[in-house]
Amino acid sequence: MAPKYRLIYFNLRARAEPTRLLFAAAGLQYEDVRIRRDTEWPALKPNTPMGQVPVLEVDGVTICQSNAIARYVAKETGLAGKTNLEQAQVDMLVDGMGDLRGKQAAIRKASEDKKDQCKEELAAFAPNFLRRYEELSGPHAGHLVGDSLTWADLEFYDVMAKVLMYLPGILDNLPKLAKVMDTVPANKGVADWLAKRPETPH
Amino acid sequence: MPSYKLTYFNGRGTAEIVRLVFAAAGTEYEDVRLEQDQWPELKPNTPMGQLPILEMDGTMLCQSNSIARYIAKLAGLAGKTPLDQARVDMVMDGMVDMGNKFAYEIYYEKDEDKKAEKKKDYVEKYVPQFFSSLNKLASDGGYFAGDELTLADIAFYNMTTMVNPYLEQPLSLDGFPKLQKVEDNVTSNPGIAKWLKERPETPY
């Protein structure tokens, strides 16, 4: 029987990866569809809600917008936060991470002559940002919100894995955040996924 | 019930969606509007150095859409089923994209020629295409999720009216009858109608 969930994206991590990490962490089956931008995307595009991927197909409904998809899957997998308040805290931390993700992605997208400037912008932005996140991080070490794995931890891991490539020591004096980087891959489903996921440029 | 305190500057901006949700929910809150010179002192005491923030029962939330979703959930305005909630979230995110595109490509553009060209493109190509997508997502009755007002409908109204003052004329809903219904459903909601009449007039 076909899995209930069908995630469609390009053959990249990028905006689909947090959702893939959620499925992996919960051991929830899904179809991980990776389309070719040149041959397959033009035909699919008009059939998506907003002309973009990723999309998630479930029960005859198509959802777009990566955070909307991730939040839905987080709820399906019990990783969205245990109370309304925790869910709001998870949401706000993920929203904030969009800024860090953007600064990091800018480096990749920049033309060669602008890359150094983008790297400097990341280096200027990240310390204060992460210091605040260290303070916002809840009392249970290794989890940003509550006492167990949430979407916020997975999102953080995904973004920071890239940021650490440019700023390797940036979590040295931020013990709670550093612990999240240990806790996430200690989840068996995540570890299995990290080991077997396709190698992609980003 | 907890007491809610929303803090922002004296404008609609990114706080207005929260105010509209409070209005639709009929939930009391303190609508704090800071002067610019009050902000530096508060900034380090906010979660991410930004406004709006919502304070309640000794907790502080930030990020306008997260705050809006939290209040909407408590009032049953965030979508009744998980899939409806996902529909609400995707429309909200789409509206943020529409607003960000305007801000970064047009509002912050300093080159007047580029600005005019981008504006033309926005009004004549991008928005009609986006509205066409949104029109398909809305129900005949004018709701993006289920058959009652949700945060998605409010987000649509809020962002289109946020952008309109910066354009030569308001964005047209001609050819998008379901979107017109969405707008009507929002403005005729009693709590929202009252707020629209009473809210302070501000430059943004």
Side-chain angles (χ1 to χ4, degrees), chain A residues 49-50 52 58-59 61-65 67-68 71-72 75 84-85 87-89 91-93 95-96 99 132-133 136, chain B residues 43-44 46-50 56 61-63 66 69-70 73-74 82-83 85-87 89-91 93-94 97 130 133:
Chain A
M50 294 181 195
Q52 297 167 328
V58 49
D59 288 346
V61 177
T62 303
I63 303 296
C64 66
Q65 293 285 353
N67 280 353
R71 187 175 301 104
Y72 170 76
K75 282 185 218 169
N84 278 331
L85 181 59
Q87 288 177 12
Q89 289 167 328
D91 285 351
M92 89 180 192
L93 290 176
D95 278 352
D99 288 343
R132 283 186 183 275
Y133 267 58
L136 291 172
Chain B
K43 189 175 159 107
T46 60
M48 296 181 197
Q50 295 168 338
M56 60 207 174
L61 286 178
C62 66
Q63 296 289 347
S66 294
R69 187 180 299 107
Y70 174 76
K73 250 191 243 179
L74 295 178
L83 271 178
Q85 289 163 16
R87 285 184 170 102
D89 286 348
M90 82 183 191
V91 169
D93 283 353
D97 284 351
F130 182 57
S133 298

CSV table of all heavy atoms in Angstrom, one decimal, chain A residues 49-50 52 58-59 61-65 67-68 71-72 75 84-85 87-89 91-93 95-96 99 132-133 136, chain B residues 43-44 46-50 56 61-63 66 69-70 73-74 82-83 85-87 89-91 93-94 97 130 133:
chain,number,residue,atom,x,y,z
A,49,PRO,N,-0.2,24.4,-5.5
A,49,PRO,CA,-1.1,25.5,-5.0
A,49,PRO,C,-0.5,26.9,-5.3
A,49,PRO,O,-1.3,27.8,-5.6
A,49,PRO,CB,-1.1,25.2,-3.5
A,49,PRO,CG,-0.9,23.8,-3.3
A,49,PRO,CD,0.1,23.4,-4.4
A,50,MET,N,0.8,27.1,-5.1
A,50,MET,CA,1.4,28.4,-5.4
A,50,MET,C,2.5,28.4,-6.3
A,50,MET,O,3.4,29.3,-6.3
A,50,MET,CB,1.8,29.0,-4.0
A,50,MET,CG,0.6,29.3,-3.1
A,50,MET,SD,1.1,30.0,-1.5
A,50,MET,CE,-0.4,29.7,-0.5
A,52,GLN,N,5.1,26.4,-6.4
A,52,GLN,CA,6.3,26.2,-5.7
A,52,GLN,C,6.4,24.8,-5.2
A,52,GLN,O,5.4,24.1,-4.9
A,52,GLN,CB,6.5,27.2,-4.6
A,52,GLN,CG,6.6,28.6,-5.0
A,52,GLN,CD,6.4,29.5,-3.8
A,52,GLN,OE1,5.7,29.2,-2.8
A,52,GLN,NE2,7.1,30.7,-3.9
A,58,VAL,N,-1.5,14.6,0.8
A,58,VAL,CA,-2.0,13.7,1.9
A,58,VAL,C,-3.5,13.8,1.8
A,58,VAL,O,-4.1,14.8,1.8
A,58,VAL,CB,-1.5,14.1,3.3
A,58,VAL,CG1,-1.6,15.6,3.6
A,58,VAL,CG2,-2.1,13.3,4.3
A,59,ASP,N,-4.1,12.5,1.8
A,59,ASP,CA,-5.6,12.5,1.7
A,59,ASP,C,-6.2,13.3,0.6
A,59,ASP,O,-7.2,14.0,0.9
A,59,ASP,CB,-6.2,12.9,3.1
A,59,ASP,CG,-5.9,11.8,4.2
A,59,ASP,OD1,-5.6,10.7,3.8
A,59,ASP,OD2,-6.1,12.2,5.4
A,61,VAL,N,-5.3,16.1,-0.5
A,61,VAL,CA,-5.0,17.5,-0.3
A,61,VAL,C,-3.6,17.8,-0.6
A,61,VAL,O,-2.7,17.0,-0.2
A,61,VAL,CB,-5.4,17.9,1.1
A,61,VAL,CG1,-5.1,19.4,1.4
A,61,VAL,CG2,-6.9,17.6,1.4
A,62,THR,N,-3.3,18.9,-1.2
A,62,THR,CA,-1.9,19.3,-1.5
A,62,THR,C,-1.6,20.5,-0.6
A,62,THR,O,-2.2,21.6,-0.7
A,62,THR,CB,-1.6,19.6,-3.0
A,62,THR,OG1,-2.0,18.4,-3.7
A,62,THR,CG2,-0.2,19.9,-3.2
A,63,ILE,N,-0.6,20.4,0.2
A,63,ILE,CA,-0.1,21.5,1.1
A,63,ILE,C,1.2,22.0,0.5
A,63,ILE,O,2.1,21.3,0.1
A,63,ILE,CB,0.1,21.1,2.5
A,63,ILE,CG1,-1.2,20.4,3.1
A,63,ILE,CG2,0.6,22.2,3.4
A,63,ILE,CD1,-2.4,21.4,3.2
A,64,CYS,N,1.4,23.4,0.5
A,64,CYS,CA,2.7,23.9,0.1
A,64,CYS,C,3.2,24.8,1.2
A,64,CYS,O,2.6,24.8,2.3
A,64,CYS,CB,2.5,24.8,-1.2
A,64,CYS,SG,1.5,26.3,-1.0
A,65,GLN,N,4.3,25.4,1.0
A,65,GLN,CA,5.0,26.3,2.0
A,65,GLN,C,5.7,25.4,3.0
A,65,GLN,O,5.1,24.7,3.8
A,65,GLN,CB,4.1,27.2,2.7
A,65,GLN,CG,3.5,28.3,1.8
A,65,GLN,CD,4.6,29.4,1.4
A,65,GLN,OE1,5.7,29.4,2.0
A,65,GLN,NE2,4.3,30.3,0.5
A,67,ASN,N,7.3,25.5,5.8
A,67,ASN,CA,7.0,25.6,7.3
A,67,ASN,C,5.6,25.1,7.6
A,67,ASN,O,5.4,24.4,8.6
A,67,ASN,CB,7.2,27.0,7.9
A,67,ASN,CG,8.7,27.2,8.1
A,67,ASN,OD1,9.6,26.4,8.0
A,67,ASN,ND2,9.0,28.5,8.5
A,68,ALA,N,4.7,25.3,6.7
A,68,ALA,CA,3.3,24.8,6.9
A,68,ALA,C,3.3,23.3,6.8
A,68,ALA,O,2.7,22.6,7.6
A,68,ALA,CB,2.4,25.4,5.8
A,71,ARG,N,5.2,21.9,10.0
A,71,ARG,CA,4.4,22.0,11.2
A,71,ARG,C,3.3,20.9,11.2
A,71,ARG,O,3.0,20.3,12.2
A,71,ARG,CB,3.7,23.4,11.3
A,71,ARG,CG,3.0,23.6,12.6
A,71,ARG,CD,2.5,25.0,12.8
A,71,ARG,NE,3.5,26.0,12.7
A,71,ARG,CZ,3.8,26.8,11.7
A,71,ARG,NH1,3.0,26.7,10.6
A,71,ARG,NH2,4.8,27.6,11.7
A,72,TYR,N,2.7,20.7,10.0
A,72,TYR,CA,1.7,19.6,9.9
A,72,TYR,C,2.3,18.3,10.2
A,72,TYR,O,1.7,17.5,11.0
A,72,TYR,CB,1.1,19.6,8.5
A,72,TYR,CG,0.2,18.4,8.2
A,72,TYR,CD1,-1.1,18.3,8.7
A,72,TYR,CD2,0.7,17.3,7.4
A,72,TYR,CE1,-1.9,17.2,8.5
A,72,TYR,CE2,-0.1,16.2,7.2
A,72,TYR,CZ,-1.4,16.2,7.7
A,72,TYR,OH,-2.2,15.1,7.5
A,75,LYS,N,3.0,17.9,13.8
A,75,LYS,CA,1.8,17.5,14.6
A,75,LYS,C,1.5,16.0,14.5
A,75,LYS,O,1.2,15.4,15.4
A,75,LYS,CB,0.7,18.4,14.2
A,75,LYS,CG,0.7,19.8,14.8
A,75,LYS,CD,-0.6,20.5,14.4
A,75,LYS,CE,-0.3,22.0,14.1
A,75,LYS,NZ,-1.4,22.7,13.5
A,84,ASN,N,-0.2,24.1,23.8
A,84,ASN,CA,-0.4,25.3,22.9
A,84,ASN,C,0.8,26.2,23.0
A,84,ASN,O,1.4,26.7,22.0
A,84,ASN,CB,-1.6,26.0,23.2
A,84,ASN,CG,-2.8,25.4,22.5
A,84,ASN,OD1,-2.7,24.8,21.5
A,84,ASN,ND2,-4.0,25.6,23.1
A,85,LEU,N,1.2,26.4,24.3
A,85,LEU,CA,2.3,27.4,24.5
A,85,LEU,C,3.6,26.8,24.0
A,85,LEU,O,4.4,27.5,23.3
A,85,LEU,CB,2.5,27.7,26.0
A,85,LEU,CG,3.6,28.6,26.4
A,85,LEU,CD1,3.4,30.0,25.7
A,85,LEU,CD2,3.6,28.8,27.9
A,87,GLN,N,4.0,24.8,21.5
A,87,GLN,CA,3.9,24.9,20.1
A,87,GLN,C,4.2,26.3,19.6
A,87,GLN,O,4.9,26.5,18.6
A,87,GLN,CB,2.5,24.4,19.6
A,87,GLN,CG,2.4,22.9,19.7
A,87,GLN,CD,1.0,22.4,19.3
A,87,GLN,OE1,0.2,23.1,18.8
A,87,GLN,NE2,0.7,21.1,19.6
A,88,ALA,N,3.7,27.3,20.3
A,88,ALA,CA,4.0,28.7,20.0
A,88,ALA,C,5.5,28.9,20.1
A,88,ALA,O,6.1,29.7,19.3
A,88,ALA,CB,3.2,29.6,20.8
A,89,GLN,N,6.1,28.4,21.2
A,89,GLN,CA,7.5,28.6,21.4
A,89,GLN,C,8.4,27.9,20.3
A,89,GLN,O,9.3,28.4,19.8
A,89,GLN,CB,8.0,28.0,22.8
A,89,GLN,CG,7.4,28.9,23.9
A,89,GLN,CD,7.5,28.3,25.3
A,89,GLN,OE1,7.4,27.1,25.4
A,89,GLN,NE2,7.7,29.2,26.3
A,91,ASP,N,7.2,27.3,17.2
A,91,ASP,CA,7.0,28.1,16.1
A,91,ASP,C,7.9,29.4,16.0
A,91,ASP,O,8.4,29.7,15.0
A,91,ASP,CB,5.5,28.6,16.0
A,91,ASP,CG,4.5,27.5,15.6
A,91,ASP,OD1,5.0,26.4,15.2
A,91,ASP,OD2,3.3,27.7,15.7
A,92,MET,N,8.0,30.1,17.1
A,92,MET,CA,8.7,31.3,17.1
A,92,MET,C,10.2,31.0,16.9
A,92,MET,O,10.9,31.8,16.2
A,92,MET,CB,8.4,32.2,18.4
A,92,MET,CG,9.3,31.9,19.6
A,92,MET,SD,8.8,33.0,21.0
A,92,MET,CE,10.2,32.7,22.0
A,93,LEU,N,10.7,30.0,17.5
A,93,LEU,CA,12.1,29.6,17.3
A,93,LEU,C,12.4,29.3,15.9
A,93,LEU,O,13.4,29.7,15.3
A,93,LEU,CB,12.5,28.5,18.2
A,93,LEU,CG,12.6,28.8,19.7
A,93,LEU,CD1,13.0,27.6,20.5
A,93,LEU,CD2,13.6,29.9,20.0
A,95,ASP,N,10.6,30.3,13.2
A,95,ASP,CA,10.5,31.6,12.5
A,95,ASP,C,11.8,32.3,12.5
A,95,ASP,O,12.3,32.8,11.5
A,95,ASP,CB,9.4,32.4,13.1
A,95,ASP,CG,8.0,32.1,12.6
A,95,ASP,OD1,7.9,31.2,11.7
A,95,ASP,OD2,7.0,32.6,13.1
A,96,GLY,N,12.4,32.5,13.7
A,96,GLY,CA,13.6,33.2,13.9
A,96,GLY,C,14.8,32.6,13.1
A,96,GLY,O,15.6,33.3,12.6
A,99,ASP,N,15.9,33.7,9.6
A,99,ASP,CA,16.9,34.7,9.4
A,99,ASP,C,18.3,34.1,9.2
A,99,ASP,O,19.1,34.5,8.3
A,99,ASP,CB,16.9,35.7,10.5
A,99,ASP,CG,15.6,36.6,10.5
A,99,ASP,OD1,15.0,36.6,9.5
A,99,ASP,OD2,15.3,37.2,11.6
A,132,ARG,N,21.2,34.7,21.9
A,132,ARG,CA,19.8,34.9,22.3
A,132,ARG,C,19.1,33.5,22.4
A,132,ARG,O,18.3,33.2,23.3
A,132,ARG,CB,19.0,35.8,21.3
A,132,ARG,CG,19.3,37.2,21.6
A,132,ARG,CD,18.4,38.1,20.7
A,132,ARG,NE,18.6,39.5,20.8
A,132,ARG,CZ,18.1,40.3,21.7
A,132,ARG,NH1,17.3,39.8,22.6
A,132,ARG,NH2,18.4,41.6,21.8
A,133,TYR,N,19.4,32.6,21.4
A,133,TYR,CA,18.8,31.3,21.3
A,133,TYR,C,19.3,30.5,22.5
A,133,TYR,O,18.5,29.7,23.0
A,133,TYR,CB,19.1,30.6,20.0
A,133,TYR,CG,18.0,30.9,19.0
A,133,TYR,CD1,17.6,32.2,18.6
A,133,TYR,CD2,17.3,29.8,18.4
A,133,TYR,CE1,16.6,32.4,17.7
A,133,TYR,CE2,16.2,30.1,17.5
A,133,TYR,CZ,15.9,31.3,17.2
A,133,TYR,OH,14.9,31.6,16.3
A,136,LEU,N,17.1,31.5,25.2
A,136,LEU,CA,15.7,31.1,25.0
A,136,LEU,C,15.6,29.6,25.2
A,136,LEU,O,14.5,29.1,25.4
A,136,LEU,CB,15.2,31.5,23.6
A,136,LEU,CG,15.1,33.0,23.3
A,136,LEU,CD1,14.8,33.2,21.9
A,136,LEU,CD2,13.9,33.5,24.2
B,43,LYS,N,14.6,46.6,24.0
B,43,LYS,CA,15.1,45.6,23.0
B,43,LYS,C,15.9,44.4,23.6
B,43,LYS,O,15.6,43.3,23.3
B,43,LYS,CB,16.0,46.4,22.0
B,43,LYS,CG,16.4,45.6,20.8
B,43,LYS,CD,17.2,46.5,19.8
B,43,LYS,CE,18.0,45.6,18.9
B,43,LYS,NZ,17.5,45.5,17.5
B,44,PRO,N,16.9,44.7,24.5
B,44,PRO,CA,17.6,43.5,25.0
B,44,PRO,C,16.8,42.6,25.9
B,44,PRO,O,17.2,41.5,26.2
B,44,PRO,CB,18.8,44.2,25.9
B,44,PRO,CG,18.4,45.6,26.0
B,44,PRO,CD,17.4,46.0,25.0
B,46,THR,N,13.8,41.5,25.1
B,46,THR,CA,12.9,40.8,24.2
B,46,THR,C,13.6,39.5,23.8
B,46,THR,O,14.8,39.4,23.7
B,46,THR,CB,12.4,41.6,23.0
B,46,THR,OG1,13.6,41.9,22.2
B,46,THR,CG2,11.8,42.9,23.5
B,47,PRO,N,12.8,38.5,23.4
B,47,PRO,CA,13.4,37.2,23.0
B,47,PRO,C,14.4,37.3,21.9
B,47,PRO,O,15.5,36.7,21.9
B,47,PRO,CB,12.2,36.3,22.6
B,47,PRO,CG,11.1,36.9,23.4
B,47,PRO,CD,11.3,38.4,23.5
B,48,MET,N,14.1,38.1,20.8
B,48,MET,CA,14.9,38.1,19.7
B,48,MET,C,15.3,39.6,19.2
B,48,MET,O,15.6,39.8,18.1
B,48,MET,CB,14.3,37.3,18.5
B,48,MET,CG,14.2,35.9,18.8
B,48,MET,SD,13.5,34.9,17.4
B,48,MET,CE,13.0,33.4,18.2
B,49,GLY,N,15.1,40.5,20.2
B,49,GLY,CA,15.4,41.9,19.8
B,49,GLY,C,14.5,42.5,18.8
B,49,GLY,O,14.9,43.4,18.1
B,50,GLN,N,13.3,42.0,18.8
B,50,GLN,CA,12.4,42.5,17.7
B,50,GLN,C,11.0,42.7,18.3
B,50,GLN,O,10.6,42.1,19.4
B,50,GLN,CB,12.3,41.5,16.6
B,50,GLN,CG,13.5,41.3,15.8
B,50,GLN,CD,13.5,40.1,14.9
B,50,GLN,OE1,12.7,39.2,15.1
B,50,GLN,NE2,14.3,40.1,13.8
B,56,MET,N,2.3,37.3,28.5
B,56,MET,CA,1.1,36.7,29.2
B,56,MET,C,1.6,35.8,30.3
B,56,MET,O,2.5,35.0,30.0
B,56,MET,CB,0.2,36.0,28.3
B,56,MET,CG,1.0,34.8,27.7
B,56,MET,SD,0.3,34.3,26.1
B,56,MET,CE,1.6,33.1,25.7
B,61,LEU,N,6.3,35.8,24.1
B,61,LEU,CA,6.4,35.2,22.7
B,61,LEU,C,6.8,36.3,21.7
B,61,LEU,O,6.4,37.5,21.9
B,61,LEU,CB,5.0,34.7,22.3
B,61,LEU,CG,4.5,33.4,22.9
B,61,LEU,CD1,3.1,33.1,22.3
B,61,LEU,CD2,5.5,32.2,22.7
B,62,CYS,N,7.5,35.9,20.7
B,62,CYS,CA,7.8,36.9,19.6
B,62,CYS,C,7.4,36.2,18.3
B,62,CYS,O,7.0,35.1,18.3
B,62,CYS,CB,9.2,37.3,19.6
B,62,CYS,SG,10.4,36.0,19.3
B,63,GLN,N,7.7,36.9,17.2
B,63,GLN,CA,7.4,36.5,15.8
B,63,GLN,C,5.9,36.6,15.6
B,63,GLN,O,5.1,35.7,16.1
B,63,GLN,CB,7.9,35.0,15.6
B,63,GLN,CG,9.4,34.9,15.6
B,63,GLN,CD,10.1,35.6,14.4
B,63,GLN,OE1,9.5,35.9,13.5
B,63,GLN,NE2,11.4,35.7,14.5
B,66,SER,N,3.7,33.6,14.7
B,66,SER,CA,3.6,32.6,15.8
B,66,SER,C,2.6,33.1,16.8
B,66,SER,O,1.8,32.3,17.4
B,66,SER,CB,5.0,32.3,16.4
B,66,SER,OG,5.8,31.7,15.4
B,69,ARG,N,-0.9,32.8,15.4
B,69,ARG,CA,-1.4,31.5,15.4
B,69,ARG,C,-1.8,31.0,16.8
B,69,ARG,O,-2.8,30.3,17.0
B,69,ARG,CB,-0.3,30.5,14.8
B,69,ARG,CG,-0.8,29.1,14.6
B,69,ARG,CD,0.3,28.2,14.0
B,69,ARG,NE,0.7,28.7,12.7
B,69,ARG,CZ,1.9,29.3,12.5
B,69,ARG,NH1,2.7,29.5,13.5
B,69,ARG,NH2,2.2,29.7,11.3
B,70,TYR,N,-1.0,31.4,17.8
B,70,TYR,CA,-1.3,31.0,19.2
B,70,TYR,C,-2.6,31.5,19.7
B,70,TYR,O,-3.5,30.8,20.2
B,70,TYR,CB,-0.1,31.5,20.1
B,70,TYR,CG,-0.4,31.2,21.6
B,70,TYR,CD1,-0.2,30.0,22.1
B,70,TYR,CD2,-0.8,32.3,22.4
B,70,TYR,CE1,-0.5,29.7,23.5
B,70,TYR,CE2,-1.0,32.1,23.7
B,70,TYR,CZ,-0.9,30.8,24.3
B,70,TYR,OH,-1.1,30.6,25.6
B,73,LYS,N,-5.5,29.9,17.7
B,73,LYS,CA,-5.8,28.5,18.1
B,73,LYS,C,-6.7,28.5,19.3
B,73,LYS,O,-7.6,27.7,19.4
B,73,LYS,CB,-4.4,27.8,18.5
B,73,LYS,CG,-4.0,26.7,17.6
B,73,LYS,CD,-2.9,26.0,18.2
B,73,LYS,CE,-1.6,26.1,17.4
B,73,LYS,NZ,-0.5,25.4,17.9
B,74,LEU,N,-6.4,29.4,20.3
B,74,LEU,CA,-7.2,29.4,21.5
B,74,LEU,C,-8.6,29.8,21.2
B,74,LEU,O,-9.5,29.5,22.0
B,74,LEU,CB,-6.5,30.4,22.5
B,74,LEU,CG,-5.1,30.0,23.1
B,74,LEU,CD1,-4.6,31.1,24.0
B,74,LEU,CD2,-5.2,28.7,23.8
B,82,PRO,N,-6.3,19.0,11.5
B,82,PRO,CA,-4.8,19.2,11.2
B,82,PRO,C,-4.6,19.7,9.7
B,82,PRO,O,-3.8,20.6,9.5
B,82,PRO,CB,-4.2,17.9,11.4
B,82,PRO,CG,-5.1,17.3,12.5
B,82,PRO,CD,-6.5,17.7,12.2
B,83,LEU,N,-5.4,19.1,8.8
B,83,LEU,CA,-5.2,19.6,7.4
B,83,LEU,C,-5.7,21.0,7.2
B,83,LEU,O,-5.1,21.8,6.4
B,83,LEU,CB,-5.9,18.6,6.4
B,83,LEU,CG,-5.1,17.4,6.0
B,83,LEU,CD1,-5.9,16.5,5.1
B,83,LEU,CD2,-3.8,17.9,5.2
B,85,GLN,N,-5.6,23.3,9.4
B,85,GLN,CA,-4.6,24.1,10.0
B,85,GLN,C,-3.4,24.3,9.1
B,85,GLN,O,-2.8,25.3,9.0
B,85,GLN,CB,-4.1,23.5,11.4
B,85,GLN,CG,-5.2,23.6,12.4
B,85,GLN,CD,-5.0,22.7,13.6
B,85,GLN,OE1,-3.9,22.1,13.8
B,85,GLN,NE2,-6.0,22.5,14.4
B,86,ALA,N,-3.1,23.2,8.3
B,86,ALA,CA,-2.0,23.3,7.4
B,86,ALA,C,-2.4,24.2,6.2
B,86,ALA,O,-1.6,25.0,5.7
B,86,ALA,CB,-1.7,21.9,6.8
B,87,ARG,N,-3.7,24.2,5.8
B,87,ARG,CA,-4.2,25.1,4.8
B,87,ARG,C,-4.0,26.5,5.3
B,87,ARG,O,-3.6,27.4,4.5
B,87,ARG,CB,-5.6,24.8,4.5
B,87,ARG,CG,-5.9,23.6,3.6
B,87,ARG,CD,-7.4,23.6,3.3
B,87,ARG,NE,-7.8,22.6,2.4
B,87,ARG,CZ,-8.3,21.4,2.7
B,87,ARG,NH1,-8.6,21.1,3.9
B,87,ARG,NH2,-8.6,20.5,1.7
B,89,ASP,N,-2.0,27.7,7.5
B,89,ASP,CA,-0.6,28.0,7.6
B,89,ASP,C,0.0,28.3,6.2
B,89,ASP,O,0.8,29.3,6.1
B,89,ASP,CB,0.2,26.9,8.2
B,89,ASP,CG,0.0,26.8,9.7
B,89,ASP,OD1,-0.5,27.7,10.3
B,89,ASP,OD2,0.4,25.7,10.3
B,90,MET,N,-0.4,27.6,5.2
B,90,MET,CA,0.2,27.8,3.9
B,90,MET,C,-0.2,29.1,3.3
B,90,MET,O,0.6,29.8,2.7
B,90,MET,CB,0.0,26.6,3.0
B,90,MET,CG,-1.3,26.5,2.2
B,90,MET,SD,-1.3,25.0,1.3
B,90,MET,CE,-2.7,25.2,0.2
B,91,VAL,N,-1.5,29.5,3.5
B,91,VAL,CA,-1.9,30.8,3.0
B,91,VAL,C,-1.3,31.9,3.8
B,91,VAL,O,-0.8,32.9,3.1
B,91,VAL,CB,-3.5,30.9,3.1
B,91,VAL,CG1,-4.0,32.3,2.9
B,91,VAL,CG2,-4.1,29.9,2.1
B,93,ASP,N,1.7,31.9,5.1
B,93,ASP,CA,3.1,32.0,4.6
B,93,ASP,C,3.1,32.6,3.2
B,93,ASP,O,4.0,33.4,2.9
B,93,ASP,CB,3.7,30.6,4.6
B,93,ASP,CG,4.1,30.1,6.0
B,93,ASP,OD1,4.0,30.9,6.9
B,93,ASP,OD2,4.5,28.9,6.1
B,94,GLY,N,2.1,32.2,2.4
B,94,GLY,CA,2.1,32.8,1.1
B,94,GLY,C,1.9,34.3,1.1
B,94,GLY,O,2.5,35.1,0.4
B,97,ASP,N,5.1,35.9,2.0
B,97,ASP,CA,6.0,36.0,0.7
B,97,ASP,C,5.6,37.2,-0.1
B,97,ASP,O,6.4,37.9,-0.6
B,97,ASP,CB,5.8,34.7,-0.1
B,97,ASP,CG,6.6,33.5,0.5
B,97,ASP,OD1,7.3,33.8,1.4
B,97,ASP,OD2,6.4,32.4,0.0
B,130,PHE,N,-0.5,35.3,-8.4
B,130,PHE,CA,-0.7,34.8,-7.0
B,130,PHE,C,-2.1,34.8,-6.6
B,130,PHE,O,-2.6,33.8,-6.0
B,130,PHE,CB,0.2,35.7,-6.1
B,130,PHE,CG,0.1,35.3,-4.7
B,130,PHE,CD1,0.5,34.0,-4.3
B,130,PHE,CD2,-0.3,36.1,-3.7
B,130,PHE,CE1,0.5,33.6,-3.0
B,130,PHE,CE2,-0.3,35.7,-2.3
B,130,PHE,CZ,0.1,34.5,-2.0
B,133,SER,N,-3.9,31.8,-8.0
B,133,SER,CA,-3.6,30.7,-7.1
B,133,SER,C,-4.5,30.7,-5.9
B,133,SER,O,-5.1,29.7,-5.5
B,133,SER,CB,-2.2,30.6,-6.7
B,133,SER,OG,-1.3,30.5,-7.9
